[in-house]
Amino acid sequence: MSISVYDRSRALATQWYAATPDAETYGYGESLVRFGVAQRIRSWDWQLELSSPAELGLPSDAVSTVSAQGQLGLGGTYYASNANNTNPAAASLKQGYVRYRFGEQDKSIRLGRFEFIDGQETQPKDTGIAWLQANRISHRLIGNFGFSNAQRSFDGADAHWGSGSFDLTALAARADQGVYNMNANPELNVDVQYLAATQSALGGHLLLRAFGMDYHDGRTRLTKTDNRALASRAADHHNIRIGSYGGDLVATVPAGAGRFDLLFWGALQSGQWGAQSHSAGAVALEAGYQLANLRSAPWLRGGWFRSTGDSNSSDNKHNTFFQVLPTPRTYAQFPFYNLMNSTDGFVQVLDAPGKKIHIRSDLHWLQLTSNHDLWYQGGGAFDSKVFGYTGRPANLHHSFASVIDASLDWQITKPIDVNFYYAKSYGKSVIAAIYPQTTNAQFGYVEFVYRWGLSQGDNSSANRK
């Protein structure tokens, strides 16, 4: 039997696009404690994990009275999502499952409540591919929303069947409440089915995946977020049923003192968006070069992403790419946007100047794909009372924002990390039409993470996670 404790504490500061007299500049704190017990007995293993998230000192006036301005950063979102409580806290069942392994580690079936992340079905041995899989492939459509305080779990079953370099993963589950709502216990009327086949080739330097996914949202009393008039959306009480089909490719190629990396990800969607038919898609192309033979292994990368938007709100067709149940901050480190109706060109630099220090800096040039659609924010269903995505009008503008950020992650000891993050957004015409007073925004935090684990027969308190 093993026992684990995870403790994450943050101090956050936000300066949102000016919305005076509401509070666009504020700070607050948050903490997350996860306590788990797990055991493996022959071919069976189980895990029970409790979670206790808390927000401290949320701003009570960071939700604008001007409807288009909405929630002024994450502080306003947490406040509105917890019945206007400035210090919400709760305890929830984060994970509780039993798993049976069919003789080998890579053949198993799991039942219960658990976390699930699409695109992360395998554990590549190539360190470059492993980083790209975790940071540039996974979480795009299904994720645990790990940056948020209450996070996301699923109730259902998943299965893995692996043989050598091949893996087949299946999921059938319902999403749980959480994310911004501190009470993560209830189950939502939202379900997803997922199947993915992943193949490693060329000695582990090439990773291929094909996937299919079906999503259903039966919360028919909620008003959907899209570019239709409010009256049309309020009258639409039909379910959302969307299929997503796609694949990705990640490769590393040795060259000189380092290696090139190449990445492709793409998806097409079809189905029903309530009373409207749904058809959409998205594509990502990325490349980089890492001086892997140098001590700090500096890495320069760049890429381009584009998802479809809806250009006609009255044709009974919904063409906005739907991000389903992702972890949006994986692709928007300053999470004032997501991958819906989005065009994003970026460059990023990564380096490890010390063995336990990792730095990263990104520069993004953002546009809205359709100027008849919305500026979308959020990461999917997390409550039975709100839709999970918010939208602000584009007002016939494409030019959205430029963002520059920097992060430093420092592993002080094996169980203790301290992480720093800062970003600044320079708003363009989309933002200026909604926030005319100040079109720039800033966001940053300091984060302390502590991990502790103890296995049966071990009297030490060393980290074992």
Side-chain angles (χ1 to χ4, degrees):
M1 182 178 292
S2 62
I3 300 172
S4 64
V5 176
Y6 173 89
D7 178 27
R8 184 182 74 187
S9 300
R10 289 191 188 127
L12 304 97
T14 298
Q15 179 250 305
W16 194 254
Y17 310 102
T20 305
D22 302 287
E24 71 272 2
T25 302
Y26 54 86
Y28 63 99
E30 62 184 29
S31 69
L32 171 65
V33 178
R34 293 173 58 165
F35 174 80
V37 180
Q39 186 178 28
R40 181 168 183 180
I41 305 173
R42 299 183 180 88
S43 297
W44 294 87
D45 68 89
W46 59 268
Q47 182 176 11
L48 180 66
E49 186 177 27
L50 303 179
S51 173
S52 179
E55 297 291 325
L56 307 172
L58 293 175
S60 61
D61 54 354
V63 180
S64 177
T65 55
V66 179
S67 60
Q69 295 180 347
Q71 298 160 1
L72 310 178
L74 293 179
T77 300
Y78 278 115
Y79 177 76
S81 301
N82 292 277
N84 295 344
N85 188 344
T86 57
N87 298 287
S92 307
L93 175 63
K94 177 60 180 170
Q95 297 192 97
Y97 64 80
V98 60
R99 176 167 46 199
Y100 181 77
R101 300 180 186 273
F102 296 89
E104 301 179 27
Q105 287 289 108
D106 54 357
K107 295 180 175 66
S108 65
I109 184 168
R110 177 171 58 171
L111 300 171
R113 175 169 291 191
F114 49 81
E115 294 182 303
F116 187 88
I117 299 169
D118 88 287
Q120 206 161 305
E121 296 84 6
T122 62
Q123 297 179 336
K125 295 181 181 179
D126 184 298
T127 57
I129 287 183
W131 189 92
L132 291 169
Q133 181 195 60
N135 294 276
R136 304 305 305 171
I137 290 291
S138 65
H139 292 277
R140 284 186 185 267
L141 296 178
I142 304 177
N144 64 349
F145 220 126
F147 180 75
S148 68
N149 215 19
Q151 305 183 335
R152 174 186 287 132
S153 296
F154 294 90
D155 292 344
D158 72 342
H160 294 268
W161 188 90
S163 179
S165 59
F166 178 79
D167 177 86
L168 186 67
T169 295
L171 167 75
R174 291 167 71 92
D176 296 316
Q177 192 167 280
V179 183
Y180 302 120
N181 188 325
M182 297 300 101
N183 180 11
N185 276 316
E187 187 178 87
L188 302 176
N189 188 12
V190 172
D191 57 85
V192 61
Q193 296 80 45
Y194 170 83
L195 182 66
T198 307
Q199 177 71 56
S200 178
L202 300 180
H205 297 295
L206 174 66
L207 192 69
L208 298 163
R209 179 179 65 124
F211 63 85
M213 179 189 314
D214 179 70
Y215 173 84
H216 165 250
D217 187 343
R219 301 172 302 155
T220 56
R221 294 187 178 183
L222 299 183
T223 300
K224 299 170 179 62
T225 301
D226 57 54
N227 63 343
R228 289 177 292 175
L230 177 58
S232 298
R233 292 186 287 121
D236 185 353
H237 299 295
H238 293 75
N239 292 3
I240 294 175
R241 297 183 182 274
I242 292 176
S244 301
Y245 317 96
D248 47 74
L249 176 155
V250 185
T252 59
V253 182
R259 60 188 175 193
F260 287 102
D261 66 88
L262 302 171
L263 181 150
F264 165 82
W265 179 92
L268 295 174
Q269 295 181 331
S270 62
Q272 288 296 130
W273 182 267
Q276 295 185 306
S277 63
H278 176 83
S279 178
V283 63
L285 299 169
E286 302 180 13
Y289 185 76
Q290 183 179 24
L291 292 169
N293 293 339
L294 295 184
R295 183 183 61 84
S296 65
W299 197 350
L300 175 65
R301 304 191 68 254
W304 176 82
F305 171 84
R306 184 179 178 87
S307 65
T308 58
D310 193 291
S311 59
N312 189 336
S313 62
S314 59
D315 62 356
N316 207 34
K317 296 179 181 179
H318 183 259
N319 300 122
T320 306
F321 176 71
F322 182 56
Q323 213 179 336
V324 193
L325 296 167
T327 304
R329 191 180 182 267
T330 305
Y331 302 94
Q333 296 283 293
F334 184 174
F336 68 92
Y337 64 100
N338 59 23
L339 300 184
M340 296 167 60
N341 188 36
S342 178
T343 300
D344 179 7
F346 74 91
V347 294
Q348 61 184 187
V349 178
L350 303 97
D351 202 2
K355 187 176 181 180
K356 298 182 178 181
I357 297 177
H358 297 271
I359 60 175
R360 171 179 169 178
S361 182
D362 290 22
L363 177 60
H364 292 260
W365 296 271
L366 302 167
Q367 287 192 316
L368 300 187
T369 306
S370 171
N371 63 357
H372 291 271
D373 205 345
L374 306 180
W375 154 19
Y376 291 94
Q377 186 179 359
F382 69 88
D383 196 309
S384 60
K385 298 178 182 179
V386 295
F387 186 65
Y389 288 102
T390 60
R392 300 175 176 89
N395 293 307
L396 300 181
H397 296 290
H398 283 287
S399 186
F400 182 28
S402 297
V403 185
I404 187 168
D405 68 6
S407 62
L408 186 151
D409 300 336
W410 179 21
Q411 185 181 21
I412 297 177
T413 64
K414 192 172 183 180
I416 298 176
D417 296 345
V418 177
N419 306 316
F420 304 88
Y421 178 79
Y422 171 77
K424 185 167 185 178
S425 165
Y426 299 89
K428 307 300 182 183
S429 56
V430 172
I431 293 173
I434 300 172
Y435 302 98
Q437 296 187 35
T438 302
T439 58
N440 297 337
Q442 300 178 81
F443 172 68
Y445 64 82
V446 178
E447 176 182 84
F448 174 87
V449 178
Y450 174 73
R451 300 177 180 87
W452 178 88
L454 182 66
S455 298
Q456 188 177 29
D458 183 2
N459 295 323
S460 72
S461 60
N463 171 41
R464 300 188 179 280
K465 189 169 182 179

